[in-house]
Amino acid sequence: TIRPSALSEGKERAAKTKLDNNASNINNKSHEVAKQTMSNPVSIWDDDYARLARAASQLRATGSTLSEPIRNNQVQSIQTGLNRLCANLLSLERDRRLAPTEVGRRRQLVEHL
């Protein structure tokens, strides 16, 4: 017979592994993106945003099943990604690669993530 606490521990481990993999993928992809030539920085921004949105969604879905230190680590990783998105958006705005209305729309996306 499997103890209920063992099931809970197994679910937490599985959720932690999934979130760790996502956070690792976010960081790995971000490093890959940084290495790429900046031929299309708008597409790169979009891809980075999509990855962070998925990670945030998964954290919202599984956050209550995680221990506090694990959850805090995931939150910190996502916050770091959001800070990077904001910095990259400022760069796109400064370089006039996006219309002001598009910059505002994307800024709202990041703020509401």
Side-chain angles (χ1 to χ4, degrees):
T1 306
I2 298 175
R3 298 182 335 266
S5 63
L7 287 175
S8 178
E9 291 169 6
K11 285 182 182 179
E12 182 174 327
R13 263 194 307 274
K16 177 195 179 305
T17 299
K18 188 173 185 178
L19 285 171
D20 284 348
N21 288 341
N22 286 338
S24 178
N25 287 340
I26 289 169
N27 289 332
N28 290 340
K29 293 291 183 184
S30 296
H31 291 296
E32 289 173 22
V33 166
K35 291 178 186 177
Q36 293 176 356
T37 59
M38 297 304 276
S39 61
N40 194 348
V42 175
S43 293
I44 292 169
W45 191 95
D46 289 342
D47 291 344
D48 202 18
Y49 174 82
R51 279 188 293 279
L52 283 167
R54 280 191 298 275
S57 176
Q58 286 183 329
L59 180 61
R60 284 190 296 272
T62 61
S64 62
T65 64
L66 299 174
S67 67
E68 189 174 340
I70 293 168
R71 186 178 191 291
N72 289 343
N73 186 33
Q74 296 303 318
V75 168
Q76 183 179 11
S77 178
I78 291 169
Q79 186 61 52
T80 299
L82 291 173
N83 292 340
R84 183 180 58 250
L85 274 180
C86 288
N88 290 343
L89 188 57
L90 285 172
S91 177
L92 291 171
E93 181 179 30
R94 184 188 62 238
D95 296 343
R96 298 178 190 254
R97 293 185 177 261
L98 288 173
T101 54
E102 186 64 17
V103 170
R105 185 184 72 79
R106 289 165 187 259
R107 191 168 282 127
Q108 281 187 332
L109 287 172
V110 172
E111 289 172 359
H112 293 101
L113 191 63

